[in-house]
Amino acid sequence: MTGGLGVAGRTLGLTDIEVGLILGLGAFIGVVAAPAWGYASEIWSRRKLMLLAVPMVVLGPAVMAIVTEQFLLLSAAVSGFVLGAARLIQAVFGAALIPVAQGYVADLTKPSHRVRGMGGLSAAISFGTLSGSVLLWLTGQLGVALGFAAISVFGLFACLMVLAYLPTALPRPALPRRETTLPLADIWPYLVITFVGFTCYTTVPPIFALRLMDRFGMDGGTAAAQTGMVLTVGVLAVCIAQVLIAVWGFKRPRAMLRAGSTGIFTGLAMLLFASDVLAMCLSMTVIGFAVGFLAPAVLGAISLLGGRGAQGKIGGINMAARGLGSALGPVLGTTLYQINPDAPILGSLALVTIVFILTFISRDARVLSP
């Protein structure tokens, strides 16, 4: 969606900033929706919440496929409005998936294995992103509408998987207040890391296709396909890193965050001077492998710092920080691109430096692990 809507927007007559707003506003609605889903998951059945959310997530890309394929003759303004509405539907219900899943993982893992469990969850999320990037790569020349339609088909299979296999939550015992209270005083540095990190991570990808079209003279279809390849390489590196975390059982979240932020800085510096698609792929490999350490470290740390009755709440508030960063990133990236093609990368370098600094004031979650 991030790479494909940029090209589709130009085809439909939308400006780059309008496309950035569609992506950003959709992510922003998750800031409101995610905490609500997190609190709901501590009260109602997590299985029933998933059965409600997943079918609605399928609806968004289905509408996008219809609009971008231009089955209906719509003006640029109407097309932009419909795409924005579809994005909002997907975002509101999509905001439920990670907090509810995080609650499941916290229920099913011991504290000593929590980072590993969150590494597995992060790997699953990243594999979904990887699948989307591969889909953009494969369908770029045929039109992004085909990619959106394929996402909807995969979503239908996800609905069946939820219905058939997602377990019913175990009965929840009465817990003391400290086990159900959101520990903001302990987790706020990690929430800021999530916000800043996702702002950084979503600032650059929306301008990849534009950069290829403007700097290397590619047409829209070729630029979309090449963007898909670059994103695929980056997310594959994320998946590899997170699978390693899930297998090896890292237990030092702050050290993982410092290593990850240093790697992202290095990769962004390489991307700034990349002169061809191959160099961009190498840069995204470094960035992706480093990014793979951030999400499991944050999820594991905040889960360990929270009580048994606050896991869904913690997941929701962290998802809100993630959504706020994802909302700001595309708007920031497309806006900075109008100033200078290198400005989004330079801005991301500054943001990842902030992440590195925050690791020195965050609470070490290892002390709560038996």
Side-chain angles (χ1 to χ4, degrees):
M1 185 179 299
T2 301
L5 270 182
V7 175
R10 283 192 175 183
T11 303
L12 294 170
L14 303 178
T15 67
D16 298 337
I17 293 179
E18 287 172 336
V19 173
L21 287 172
I22 290 173
L23 291 169
L25 289 174
F28 180 75
I29 197 67
V31 175
V32 178
W37 287 111
Y39 274 77
S41 72
E42 299 295 348
I43 301 172
W44 296 312
S45 165
R46 288 173 179 161
R47 174 183 166 85
K48 290 181 179 178
L49 291 177
M50 283 291 207
L51 287 172
L52 170 65
V54 175
M56 296 303 294
V57 173
V58 176
L59 180 61
V63 173
M64 291 181 180
I66 293 172
V67 174
T68 54
E69 186 61 23
Q70 297 181 313
F71 287 118
L72 302 174
L73 295 178
L74 304 175
S75 66
V78 175
S79 296
F81 177 80
V82 175
L83 287 175
R87 170 65 172 147
L88 288 176
I89 291 172
Q90 187 224 21
V92 167
F93 290 92
L97 305 184
I98 293 178
V100 177
Q102 187 175 337
Y104 268 117
V105 172
D107 289 342
L108 299 172
T109 57
K110 297 178 181 179
S112 58
H113 293 162
R114 191 64 48 80
V115 176
R116 291 182 63 182
M118 295 302 174
L121 174 61
S122 298
I125 296 168
S126 298
F127 183 73
T129 308
L130 172 62
S131 300
S133 300
V134 171
L135 199 58
L136 178 62
W137 183 13
L138 296 176
T139 62
Q141 294 288 357
L142 301 175
V144 293
L146 180 62
F148 292 143
I151 292 173
S152 296
V153 173
F154 293 150
L156 293 176
F157 284 104
C159 293
L160 295 175
M161 293 290 288
V162 170
L163 185 63
Y165 296 111
L166 199 64
T168 302
L170 296 175
R172 297 173 191 172
L175 297 171
R177 183 176 177 82
R178 62 183 177 82
E179 289 287 324
T180 61
T181 301
L182 188 67
L184 280 176
D186 292 330
I187 68 174
W188 74 263
Y190 292 104
L191 299 179
V192 177
I193 287 173
T194 296
F195 165 66
V196 176
F198 271 90
T199 301
C200 174
Y201 190 57
T202 56
T203 293
V204 177
I207 60 96
F208 274 164
L210 305 178
R211 192 177 178 90
L212 291 172
M213 294 168 70
D214 297 336
R215 176 164 290 190
F216 300 110
M218 295 182 182
D219 61 84
T222 302
Q226 294 298 315
T227 297
M229 181 178 69
V230 174
L231 294 177
T232 298
V233 169
V235 181
L236 181 60
V238 174
C239 290
I240 293 172
Q242 291 173 344
V243 168
L244 291 177
I245 290 168
V247 171
W248 286 347
F250 289 87
K251 297 181 179 179
R252 301 178 60 190
R254 288 200 303 183
M256 293 166 63
L257 288 170
R258 290 168 188 167
S261 55
T262 302
I264 294 171
F265 189 95
T266 302
L268 285 169
M270 295 169 59
L271 183 63
L272 186 64
F273 298 102
S275 57
D276 53 32
V277 174
L278 180 61
M280 291 176 68
C281 287
L282 181 60
S283 303
M284 283 303 296
T285 300
V286 176
I287 293 172
F289 195 84
V291 166
F293 281 79
L294 263 64
V298 170
L299 293 180
I302 61 178
S303 179
L304 288 169
L305 291 169
R308 289 175 292 166
Q311 295 299 316
K313 299 175 184 178
I314 290 172
I317 199 72
N318 187 68
M319 186 63 187
R322 173 177 177 156
L324 187 59
S326 299
L328 179 60
V331 177
L332 181 64
T334 52
T335 301
L336 290 176
Y337 188 80
Q338 306 304 312
I339 300 172
N340 185 290
D342 292 333
I345 300 175
L346 295 172
S348 295
L349 284 167
L351 290 173
V352 78
T353 302
I354 295 174
V355 171
F356 183 79
I357 294 172
L358 284 169
T359 63
F360 290 93
I361 62 174
S362 60
R363 181 177 174 184
D364 193 347
R366 286 183 300 160
V367 297
L368 299 184
S369 179

